[in-house]
Amino acid sequence: MEHALPAGTVLFEQGDVPNFQVVLVSGSVQLFGRSADGREVLIEVVRAPDLVIPAAVLTGSPYLMQARVPEPSKFLLVQADVFREAIDRDPQLAKAVLGTLAEQFRRMVRQTKNLKLRSAAERVGCYLLVLSERQGTPDRALLPYEKHVIASELGMTRESFSRALNALAKAGISVDGQEVTIHDRIRLAKAAIPDPMIDPPDPDGTERQVLELIGRLRG
């Protein structure tokens, strides 16, 4: 089944057992974790094309996160048991899913290193550098979510995020609402210290691999 969903839709809750493998065809999905006392943080943003938490579907285990749609997005929904059966009988599909799982694992390792090895200012600086590259505007970055949501993704409070932005003003940025102007990209990079072993690489064959996987599922 293919669905187009509006911004604000909750795909599933933390603790739900998967009924479908959710395939993100266009748009994005935010994955939130919630503590027993109700504290919530943004764990990861999944961008199309990708599978949404296939590990839970493959093992039939409860989701460890809630999934929300922050922008109009399109999805392919495959019944969980059908998805598992298809993997059992189609070695090429199994290989594609394994590749997707491997890439997601590497993303989580990068995120863990980002949180544990960098100061708040370095995390924010590298976030702005990557974001501006992704948006195709090397001299500015438009923050895609509320600042407190971005702060939680980067493992800090809203106040710490604001302090980091203020500290980076000395490295050649200025902030106007949701828009961050990068006046001196070289100076910002010296302050943030980008690392190819942490920061997301330029797009490679991963997107093509996921698109081929989606084609196999549709077929």
Side-chain angles (χ1 to χ4, degrees):
M1 297 180 289
E2 296 197 43
H3 288 279
L5 298 177
T9 302
V10 175
L11 286 172
F12 50 77
E13 294 286 355
Q14 177 176 297
D16 287 352
V17 176
N19 292 317
F20 297 92
Q21 174 59 65
V22 179
V23 184
L24 178 60
V25 178
S26 67
S28 61
V29 172
Q30 294 175 327
L31 300 178
F32 288 89
R34 186 181 297 111
S35 66
D37 62 2
R39 180 169 174 263
E40 184 178 81
V41 294
L42 177 61
I43 303 296
E44 185 183 13
V45 179
V46 180
R47 296 179 176 84
D50 207 347
L51 304 184
V52 180
I53 318 187
V57 180
L58 291 173
T59 60
S61 304
Y63 288 118
L64 301 180
M65 296 173 282
Q66 181 203 65
R68 291 185 214 158
V69 182
E71 60 182 320
S73 302
K74 293 183 180 180
F75 300 88
L76 177 66
L77 303 182
V78 182
Q79 289 185 345
D81 55 348
V82 173
F83 182 71
R84 289 189 287 265
E85 290 169 4
I87 290 174
D88 285 342
R89 66 173 183 266
D90 186 339
Q92 291 303 313
L93 178 61
K95 181 179 179 181
V97 172
L98 183 61
T100 300
L101 284 167
E103 181 57 34
Q104 292 181 357
F105 172 78
R106 289 174 63 81
R107 282 207 309 260
M108 294 304 294
V109 172
R110 288 176 184 274
Q111 182 183 32
T112 301
K113 291 177 68 176
N114 186 44
L115 294 174
K116 291 180 177 291
L117 295 176
R118 283 174 166 161
S119 68
E122 288 170 346
R123 273 176 268 161
V124 174
C126 287
Y127 177 85
L128 295 175
L129 290 169
V130 171
L131 183 62
S132 64
E133 287 181 7
R134 186 182 299 132
Q135 294 175 343
T137 51
D139 60 343
R140 67 181 179 86
L142 185 63
L143 301 180
Y145 317 115
E146 297 89 343
K147 290 176 183 175
H148 74 277
V149 176
I150 297 173
S152 71
E153 183 183 14
L154 295 177
M156 62 187 76
T157 64
R158 165 68 185 269
E159 293 73 23
S160 295
F161 183 70
S162 296
R163 286 195 293 270
L165 287 174
N166 290 335
L168 290 171
K170 298 177 182 178
I173 73 164
S174 60
V175 183
D176 182 10
Q178 292 293 104
E179 183 171 286
V180 179
T181 301
I182 301 173
H183 301 286
D184 190 333
R185 194 174 181 87
I186 294 176
R187 189 148 47 116
L188 177 59
K190 287 182 178 179
I193 318 176
D195 183 345
M197 295 293 102
I198 298 178
D199 302 300
D202 294 333
D204 50 21
T206 303
E207 180 174 321
R208 177 185 54 79
Q209 177 176 289
V210 177
L211 289 173
E212 290 176 356
L213 186 156
I214 292 172
R216 296 187 74 84
L217 290 173
R218 282 176 168 154

